[in-house]
Amino acid sequence: MLAGFSYFVVFHYGALVGNVIAFKDYAPFDGIWGSPWVGTDNFQRMLEDGEFWHAVTNTMVIAVLQLVFYFPVPLALALLLHSLTSSTVRRFVQSIAYLPHFVSWVIVVALFQQVLGDTGMVNGLLGDAGLHTVDIIGNPDAFKPLVVAEVIWKDAGWGTIIFLAALSQVDEQQYEASAIDGAGPWRRFWHVTLPAIRPVVVLLLIMRLGDILSVGFEQMLLQRDAVGPQAAEIIDTFVYYQGIVGGDYGYAAAAGLFKGLIGAALVYAANKVAHRLGEQGVYR
């Protein structure tokens, strides 16, 4: 209990104090409190920086693509697994689906390069068949769909855990009663399964919205050089290159603080919408 409390105090709430450098011309040797205050200069500079808004645009596009194409996949996979009658087959499929989550992004990116890269397996087969080869990994236009596909492959199986836990709480007698009344599989899904898991789906959707601007720092950093910053620069990599690489810590902190405020606003708005729709949301 004390260890968990200390973790959140030190690494979550205590770390918030560091955001004060967004209002300073921070110099590491002067420290946080020794560096001069600059007011909102870093934020004004950020609002006028075209590279920052380009990173915001890339982040939003990838976030929307992930929300539309990734978020439903764990739910669909959980419903598919729940429909399997053989527990042995279900556990086997679950285990296979969970495995990619434990693979690091370095390995995931390397695997996709081996399959879809300029000299990868797909181009090898196309070359053997006398067809034109395609470099999907190095194509900036294909980068955003590619990173969404990587996320689906890596985390869709792991994302089924909460949905499967919610599905396990559905009363089997409701299925039996609806089947006796003549309800088919789709009517049982619509009138029994979906109402039972709807609060969990709404809760996860709200939590996802709060983290929507975190679209994968490590994943983007590993592939940024292959397609260029025009396609792969997101807010997190922008903060990294401005702060860690460029040493412009105050400006990077302002960009990071902007991202946090947008996430908090999205959670608040989504929670309000959930309440209006009759759902519990994350908090009251």
Side-chain angles (χ1 to χ4, degrees):
M1 179 70 179
L2 180 60
F5 177 76
S6 303
Y7 167 78
F8 280 98
V9 168
V10 174
F11 293 104
H12 288 262
Y13 294 101
L16 290 176
V17 178
N19 284 319
V20 74
I21 69 172
F23 303 92
K24 286 176 166 278
D25 183 13
Y26 177 71
F29 292 107
D30 295 332
I32 292 179
W33 306 115
S35 300
W37 292 92
V38 294
T40 59
D41 285 0
N42 286 324
F43 291 93
Q44 291 176 0
R45 178 183 160 199
M46 181 182 72
L47 295 176
E48 297 170 355
D49 189 347
E51 292 184 3
F52 170 75
W53 289 111
H54 183 77
V56 172
T57 302
N58 278 343
T59 304
M60 292 302 298
V61 171
I62 294 172
V64 171
L65 289 175
Q66 287 185 355
L67 191 64
V68 173
F69 293 102
Y70 166 70
F71 186 79
V73 175
L75 175 60
L77 186 57
L79 291 170
L80 180 64
L81 291 171
H82 186 67
S83 67
L84 295 176
T85 55
S86 172
S87 59
T88 303
V89 174
R90 185 189 306 169
R91 283 197 296 270
F92 175 76
V93 175
Q94 279 181 255
S95 301
I96 296 298
Y98 291 166
L99 281 178
H101 174 75
F102 300 100
V103 178
S104 72
W105 273 115
V106 175
I107 303 299
V108 172
V109 171
L111 283 174
F112 272 76
Q113 286 177 337
Q114 290 298 317
V115 176
L116 301 174
D118 190 29
T119 57
M121 184 178 67
V122 171
N123 277 335
L125 294 174
L126 290 174
D128 293 340
L131 302 174
H132 290 291
T133 60
V134 290
D135 182 14
I136 298 175
I137 296 295
N139 184 358
D141 295 331
F143 179 72
K144 293 180 177 64
L146 174 68
V147 294
V148 176
E150 291 171 351
V151 171
I152 292 174
W153 182 82
K154 187 175 188 298
D155 286 332
W158 187 255
T160 62
I161 292 177
I162 296 178
F163 291 122
L164 285 172
L167 288 168
S168 67
Q169 300 302 313
V170 180
D171 190 352
E172 291 293 334
Q173 292 183 350
Q174 294 185 33
Y175 287 118
E176 296 172 2
S178 58
I180 293 173
D181 290 339
W186 282 108
R187 291 183 69 85
R188 291 200 295 272
F189 166 75
W190 189 259
H191 294 290
V192 178
T193 304
L194 198 57
I197 64 173
R198 189 175 60 193
V200 175
V201 174
V202 172
L203 176 65
L204 292 179
L205 183 59
I206 293 173
M207 294 174 68
R208 176 59 192 151
L209 285 174
D211 203 31
I212 194 169
L213 297 183
S214 298
V215 293
F217 167 72
E218 188 179 357
Q219 180 189 11
M220 303 301 162
L221 189 65
L222 288 168
Q223 301 176 90
R224 185 175 179 272
D225 291 341
V227 294
Q230 285 296 313
E233 190 79 293
I234 60 172
I235 296 177
D236 286 339
T237 55
F238 180 83
V239 170
Y240 170 75
Y241 279 101
Q242 292 293 331
I244 304 300
V245 177
D248 198 349
Y249 300 103
Y251 185 46
L257 191 57
F258 170 85
K259 174 190 165 186
L261 293 175
I262 294 297
L266 287 173
V267 169
Y268 179 78
N271 202 58
K272 283 289 185 185
V273 172
H275 289 166
R276 289 185 179 275
L277 296 176
E279 301 294 341
Q280 292 184 347
V282 178
Y283 60 88
R284 283 287 179 184

